[in-house]
Amino acid sequence: MSNKTLTMAALRYRAVFLDISRGDINMQSELTAPVMAFVRRLKENGFCVSENLLHALNDIPAGRLSEITECINDVMGVKLNWAPLVKGWDVPTGESLADHLVTRVANIFGRRAGFKGTTLPCGHLIPEGTFPLERYNGCPFCGTPFETASFVYKGQGSKLKELRLFTPEDMQHVFESLLTSSTPLDGTQKDSLKLLLREFPLPDSVNISMKETSMLVVKLLVEQGKDDEASKLLNTPADVLRYLWYEKTGYVQVIEPKTLVAHARKLYHHMWGPLDLSADAAKEMKRKLMLKYDRKACLRVALWLNAIPMTARQAAENMNPKRGMWVRMIRALRLGEYSRKSGFGHLAEILDVFYKQDYTTWQGRVDKARTENNAEGTLALLKERPGLFARCLFASMLRFGSDKVLNAFGEIADRLPARLLLSLGNAAETYFDPKETRLARPITGVTHKIEPNRLLALYSDDERRAMACAVNEVYKISMERRFAAQPSEAKTIYIDPALYNIPVSVGV
């Protein structure tokens, strides 16, 4: 393992990484001279150490302590030049836009055009009467510094920040907590995940719930040449398409090209007003979305699809919602060519079923059952996909009756996030009001108005209010079930091991 990489990651959690075991620390050891010197350097940078870390440092070679010191100096910017570009920066220099324009012209035509002034070490000519050079520590035109400050900012305030000990086991906990985070990672966490993924293998038992994190991990594994490990996170063709589109556009959500082109045209027109440049913006977006892959990328995707743990019909059904995009992807990735090679039999079967359309889709079965007014069949299919059931819950209540639908929805409500159930309760009052017009705001930023459901006219005001109240009751009942566990069922878990590493007992 790279000690420097792990030290950088540990410092973000106010810790120092040492490749030791906590059981090997001698808490009765006396401090050595290198350790005392190291602690003094930490104090200059505004840090102190915990007792465990202090005794653990006694078993660390002086060279390793020097590496940690250099790493902390880099993080704290000790070696940076803190000399300001302008001397007495709180007093205006009196420069104007005209000074910059004159300097620009002087550097284009030079002294031969009659400009007089001072040529600085960076090569720029500063004409007389423009910038007051005596007020600058560098070039006022390009900002290149010429003088270095003789002082270093240390101390970082009067209160010292305590650094704790991080062992390989602690870093593994941090790694797993980043992978299993239930919220999208910020920029610092993404960089920490990138550093730790180079040092630790991807755990087999970890379930990455966030698509943003999953796609980031796949991208990092591909960059490291670990295509086989990346395939463990791609269990459906939709996951493969999501990664390909994430790599192309940076969006985790698969937004079709026509939507991106239309959005670029509208956004550009909104920014520039009367200038008719929206067509150029649309052409530029089309150029960016052109699919072009080398042989290595084509082989990688062919292997991923060939290893998909689904039958050909299931895979084709999974590809159907984005059928138009898949047709272009198959052509750009030369999947038809690879399907004819030995060892790619599953890929060939998937493509054969996909092109022949020899499959049925879940949505098609739901639509057929709904058209036939088959309430039992429709609800049985909706219970297979709780998320989609939640999306059409209100419309199903109006079509088949609230009692029957809510009873079926209550069976799978615990499989949905609590925030989704709460949002359903908040949206029910608006949905069941025939006078309210709802607004849909997709990721592209275009707002759509949705007219009230025409089936609302079949119900009275009291019935509609009762439906809205019944949706709120589903949330309450689900919360009661989730938090009704007995104390004996409590178990020990880690709450953010990256920060605390302290086991606590909570009811689950």
Side-chain angles (χ1 to χ4, degrees):
M1 292 187 293
S2 174
N3 288 329
K4 184 177 180 180
T5 300
L6 295 177
T7 300
M8 291 287 292
L11 283 174
R12 294 169 176 173
Y13 297 89
R14 288 192 183 181
V16 174
F17 171 76
L18 300 178
D19 193 7
I20 62 175
S21 175
R22 291 184 181 272
D24 297 335
I25 301 175
N26 182 9
M27 300 299 293
Q28 306 300 325
S29 61
E30 296 183 1
L31 300 183
T32 61
V35 172
M36 289 188 289
F38 173 74
V39 173
R40 282 196 296 269
R41 296 292 178 270
L42 288 181
K43 187 176 181 180
E44 292 177 355
N45 287 303
F47 296 104
C48 62
V49 297
S50 65
E51 184 178 2
N52 279 349
L53 177 58
L54 184 63
H55 289 284
L57 292 171
N58 288 324
D59 298 330
I60 303 302
R64 172 62 180 146
L65 296 178
S66 178
E67 291 179 4
I68 298 175
T69 303
E70 289 296 323
C71 185
I72 293 178
N73 288 338
D74 291 340
V75 171
M76 302 305 296
V78 171
K79 297 181 180 180
L80 298 178
N81 178 18
W82 294 100
L85 181 63
V86 179
K87 301 175 184 178
W89 53 269
D90 55 338
V91 179
T93 60
E95 66 182 65
S96 63
L97 178 60
D99 297 328
H100 287 270
L101 292 176
V102 171
T103 305
R104 177 67 175 171
V105 173
N107 282 274
I108 293 175
F109 296 101
R111 295 181 181 274
R112 290 174 296 180
F115 289 98
K116 297 180 180 180
T118 305
T119 302
L120 301 180
C122 62
H124 288 126
L125 173 63
I126 307 300
E128 296 177 355
T130 54
F131 298 97
L133 293 179
E134 68 278 1
R135 293 283 310 280
Y136 287 88
N137 289 322
C139 176
F141 186 64
C142 68
T144 302
F146 300 143
E147 296 185 18
T148 303
S150 59
F151 54 89
V152 177
Y153 288 112
K154 292 185 178 180
Q156 305 297 323
S158 59
K159 186 176 181 180
L160 299 180
K161 297 182 285 292
E162 183 181 82
L163 295 178
R164 299 169 291 115
L165 170 65
F166 261 21
T167 63
E169 291 77 14
D170 297 322
M171 295 306 299
Q172 183 72 31
H173 282 310
V174 172
F175 182 45
E176 293 181 2
S177 69
L178 292 174
L179 291 174
T180 58
S181 173
S182 58
T183 57
L185 304 180
D186 58 26
T188 302
Q189 291 173 323
K190 289 180 180 178
D191 189 65
S192 298
L193 180 61
K194 183 177 181 180
L195 294 176
L196 295 176
L197 196 59
R198 296 174 182 171
E199 307 299 330
F200 296 102
L202 188 66
D204 295 331
S205 58
V206 171
N207 180 26
I208 305 178
S209 58
M210 291 299 298
K211 292 297 183 182
E212 290 86 348
T213 305
S214 178
M215 293 300 103
L216 177 62
V217 171
V218 172
K219 183 177 180 180
L220 295 175
L221 291 175
V222 170
E223 291 175 356
Q224 298 175 21
K226 301 178 180 178
D227 298 343
D228 293 338
E229 289 189 38
S231 65
K232 299 177 183 177
L233 302 177
L234 304 172
N235 298 317
T236 65
D239 293 335
V240 177
L241 181 63
R242 189 186 303 275
Y243 166 72
L244 293 172
W245 211 236
Y246 171 73
E247 187 182 35
K248 171 66 70 173
T249 64
Y251 294 116
V252 177
Q253 183 176 352
V254 181
I255 306 175
E256 296 193 7
K258 62 180 181 181
T259 304
L260 293 175
V261 171
H263 183 55
R265 182 185 294 109
K266 184 174 182 179
L267 179 63
Y268 205 94
H269 180 74
H270 172 73
M271 291 172 60
W272 295 98
L275 298 178
D276 190 16
L277 300 177
S278 58
D280 294 336
K283 291 180 181 178
E284 179 64 18
M285 179 58 71
K286 287 182 180 179
R287 186 190 64 80
K288 291 181 179 179
L289 296 178
M290 289 181 62
L291 301 178
K292 187 176 182 181
Y293 297 98
D294 56 19
R295 285 285 179 176
K296 185 176 181 181
C298 295
L299 177 60
R300 181 191 309 124
V301 176
L303 291 172
W304 285 345
L305 290 174
N306 192 62
I308 289 293
M310 304 174 70
T311 64
R313 293 181 182 274
Q314 291 173 339
E317 180 183 353
N318 186 264
M319 297 163 67
N320 187 74
K322 301 295 181 182
R323 183 176 180 85
M325 294 183 65
W326 268 115
V327 169
R328 289 165 176 79
M329 281 290 183
I330 292 171
R331 185 184 302 118
L333 291 165
R334 305 180 181 90
L335 297 182
E337 176 183 338
Y338 283 97
S339 66
R340 292 189 290 271
K341 296 183 178 181
S342 60
F344 289 90
H346 189 46
L347 174 62
E349 188 179 1
I350 292 175
L351 296 184
D352 183 64
V353 173
F354 176 75
Y355 276 112
K356 291 181 179 179
Q357 299 188 24
D358 187 18
Y359 58 90
T360 59
T361 63
W362 177 86
Q363 187 61 52
R365 295 193 295 271
V366 171
D367 292 340
K368 181 180 179 181
R370 185 184 290 117
T371 303
E372 296 174 352
N373 205 26
N374 183 359
E376 289 73 14
T378 303
L379 296 177
L381 289 170
L382 290 176
K383 286 192 290 185
E384 296 177 2
R385 302 188 180 183
L388 294 177
F389 194 174
R391 293 182 63 180
C392 63
L393 174 64
F394 299 156
S396 299
M397 291 171 61
L398 294 176
R399 180 177 289 272
F400 300 118
S402 60
D403 294 340
K404 184 182 298 183
V405 173
L406 289 178
N407 288 335
F409 185 73
E411 298 176 12
I412 52 92
D414 294 349
R415 295 162 56 185
L416 294 169
R419 55 180 173 80
L420 177 57
L421 295 178
L422 181 61
S423 65
L424 285 175
N426 294 334
E429 184 176 353
T430 302
Y431 186 93
F432 290 107
D433 188 349
K435 299 179 182 179
E436 291 287 343
T437 300
R438 293 172 291 126
L439 297 178
R441 297 181 178 88
I443 194 172
T444 54
V446 181
T447 302
H448 300 280
K449 290 185 178 180
I450 303 177
E451 297 298 328
N453 194 320
R454 289 179 294 179
L455 295 179
L456 289 171
L458 301 177
Y459 297 87
S460 64
D461 293 340
D462 293 339
E463 291 173 331
R464 290 193 292 264
R465 282 194 293 268
M467 288 182 180
C469 294
V471 174
N472 282 305
E473 287 298 322
V474 172
Y475 170 74
K476 296 177 182 178
I477 295 173
S478 178
M479 291 301 99
E480 290 176 359
R481 286 198 297 263
R482 297 187 191 200
F483 295 100
Q486 299 297 326
S488 59
E489 298 177 9
K491 65 179 182 180
T492 300
I493 65 171
Y494 278 99
I495 297 181
D496 195 359
L499 296 177
Y500 301 102
N501 198 28
I502 300 175
V504 297
S505 181
V506 298
V508 178

